[in-house]
Each structure stands twice: as C-alpha cells, then as structure tokens.
Amino acid sequence: MTLANKKVVLGITGGIAAYKCPEIVRRLKDLQCDVRVVMTAGAKEFITPLTLQAVSGNPVSDSLLDPAAEASMGHIELAKWADLVVIAPASADVIAKINAGMANDLLTTICLATSAPIAIAPAMNQQMYAAKATQRNLACLEQMGMYIWGPASGEQACGDVGKGRLLEPMEIVERVTNHFAAPSLDLNILITAGPTREAIDPVRYISNHSSGKMGFAIAQAAKQLGANVTLIAGPVSLTTPNGVNRLDVVSASDMHKQAIIHAPTHDIFIACAAVADYRPAAISDQKIKKNDDDMVVSMIKNPDILADVSALEEQRPFCVGFAAETQDVETYARGKLQRKKLDMIAANNVSIAGQGFNSDSNALTLYWPQGKLDLPLADKQELAKQLVVEIIKHYNQAQ
Ligand code: C5P
C-alpha cells in the first residue's frame, strides 16, 4: 500500500503521548504520504516543532496570527490542502473545542474550515476520558461523521491504569491506510430511520420511542464504506452523518411516499424505521377539547413501507428489514422475512436491557432464507459497520 499523493494534516495537542508523533510522521512518510504538522501551544510544551519539521520535511504550523506563517500556507489553504486531518494525541480540551465549533487557534480553525474527513485519536487520563462531558463530546463528534480512533487501555503516564492511551503509531498509520483504501462503492443505499408521528389534532400525535440511532449509524457506516446514501428520517434530534443525503418526514404516509419514489434508483433498501402501524382515521382540524370523560380515537392501518418496496415489480432494490421482538425472535423474524418477501432481516430482542430502542448498543441476528449470523452486542456504530458489510456481501452474491 502506498499513500503517494495523499495529503494528511497531523494535528498535535498537549499531552505526554505527543512523543509518539515523530514515529507516526515517519511511518506515513515511509508510505510516501505528504504530511503537514499543526501544533497547539500545549503540544510545544511536550515536543519541539523542529523535530516534527525534520521528520515531515515540511514547515510546522502553529499559529493563526503569524503573518509569516500565513504567507507561506494560510490556514484556509491548509484546510483545503488536506485529504485527511488526523488529531493525535487529541486532548479532552481540543475534543471539547471542536465539538463546540470553536476556532481560537490554528488547529480548531482548520477543523472548521476543512471539508476533509477528520480523525480524532484521544489520549488522556482514564478518568478524564470516562468523564461524562468527554464521552458526550466524543459521541457528538462521531455523530458529525468524524472518526474516533481508540483510545487503547493500559498503564498511563500518570500511573493510572485504564482507557485513555493513544493508539500505537503503527495502529494510527494502519487506520490512515485503511481510510484511503476504503473502496468507493458504486452502490446506492436507501435507509429509513427513526419513529413516525401520526397526528390526532394540530397539537397531538401518536408515536413510539425509536431514537433513530441505529438507522443513522447504518447510514454513516454505509457512507464510510463508500456508498451513496439516502436517509429518510422520521422526527429525531440527530445530526446528519457527513455526506449523507437526508430527507425529513413526519408521518408513515410521508415516509411511504418518499421510499416509493426513491427505491427504484437504489440498489439496497434498509428499513430501520419504527413505523407506526396505525394512524388516526381522521385528523381533527382543531385542538380536541377535554369535555368528555373518555375519548375514542379510531385508527386505520398504515401502509407497510418495506412490504410495498419489496413488492416493486421493476427496479426492486435488495430489501433488508428489522424485527424488534420480545420473544420467539427467530420464528417471528423468519415469519416477516417470508411475509414481506425480504432478502434479509436483522432481528433483536428488545426485552433485554441495554439493547435496541433508545440505547447506545445493540445485538442483532441476521436471517436470510438459507442461513443466519449472530452479530454480538456492540455499540451501534460498530454493529452498523458489521451489518452493512454483511448486507453488501449478500447483495453481491445475489447479483
Ligand atoms: O411488521 P413489523 O412492523 O414488525 O416489521 C418491521 C419491519 O418492517 C421494519 O424493517 C420496519 O422498518 C418495516 N416497516 C415498514 N412499514 C411499516 C411497518 C414496518 O417499513 N408500516
């Protein structure tokens, strides 16, 4: 593997692990990668710019306000130059600043100004890493589409033992290589995600607890694997993964309409949304008053989006459904696979705490007519990656 013609900005922040950076740069240079180093003020307390200049063969940038440095390669030029920005080690401070959208030094400014993917390799004391604020910031960065590389566990410079060590230089180089090796798939993938809302009157609706996290994680994984992704999202408060084309809908009927319009131009359809099965038969024009002691809302069945896409006679995509079950998972999942004439179904047992609805992790079993595969408990991002890889494998076999 060569990284010839690949341009990487390596951002170094203040942390003892900065001593590993010359090795990262050297190994990237071995692969013919063009590396430009950006250091924060804190980084320079741990390692000298001269060392990084010597190993990278390029001037090191460290100031937003230095006219001489700006004249050689300004911050916007540097942000545009990069094919990938890697921040290693990334301190808790820089992670918080990037999440807040701050731009008060050269590195954070580049992060805002670049359209290149950004990879964050955290390194800090295990307690700082585990802190709720750091975890929240990292989760937000991941949702924005940034890669989070590591950290590793083990003994720390401060004497603590735990999660927070910078990945080893070769692991970081391997991730850079994998990033550039990711195939550009000539695949269009359509995904539904989140709940739907079924209006009762102008201020009330019927819905469910779906957070949309699994569907958004699948969209992000599919995009990172090189697919073109369209995400039909019900009402959720999640950030659109980088590069994903998002269509917002509210009700099952809206979602159905968009899915039927877009399915024929997509190779794979993954129905991850928790679509309301019924909707009020009539939506009151005015807010319903609480005059009576009881109230009856008459409901009618919503269209089955997945079954209708799967029944398309022309340009039918490869169809993957989800089955959230509380018992007899395999029986019910296989029943849906057959009834909706699907190519695959991903089933999970939502009665187990910490899995499925509104949780950050999940475990799935994939069923297809001739087989099955367990994807064990993992965070939704990791699980989504494994799921999309399996779906693409089966899609390719079906061609
Ligand atoms: O029949 P059930 O709702 O359990 O099936 C779940 C699967 O069907 C999920 O993939 C879900 O996204 C999809 N579905 C749909 N439209 C509906 C109901 C479910 O696309 N109206």
Side-chain angles (χ1 to χ4, degrees), residues 192 271-277 302-306 321-323 336 339-340:
T192 63
C272 194
V275 184
D277 291 322
N302 270 326
D304 191 312
I305 301 168
L306 178 56
F322 270 77
K336 282 175 198 173
R339 208 167 46 250
K340 303 192 190 199

Side-chain angles (χ1 to χ4, degrees), residues 26 39 41 107 142 233 308 335:
R26 287 189 56 186
M39 297 177 79
L107 183 57
E142 192 157 35
D308 286 357

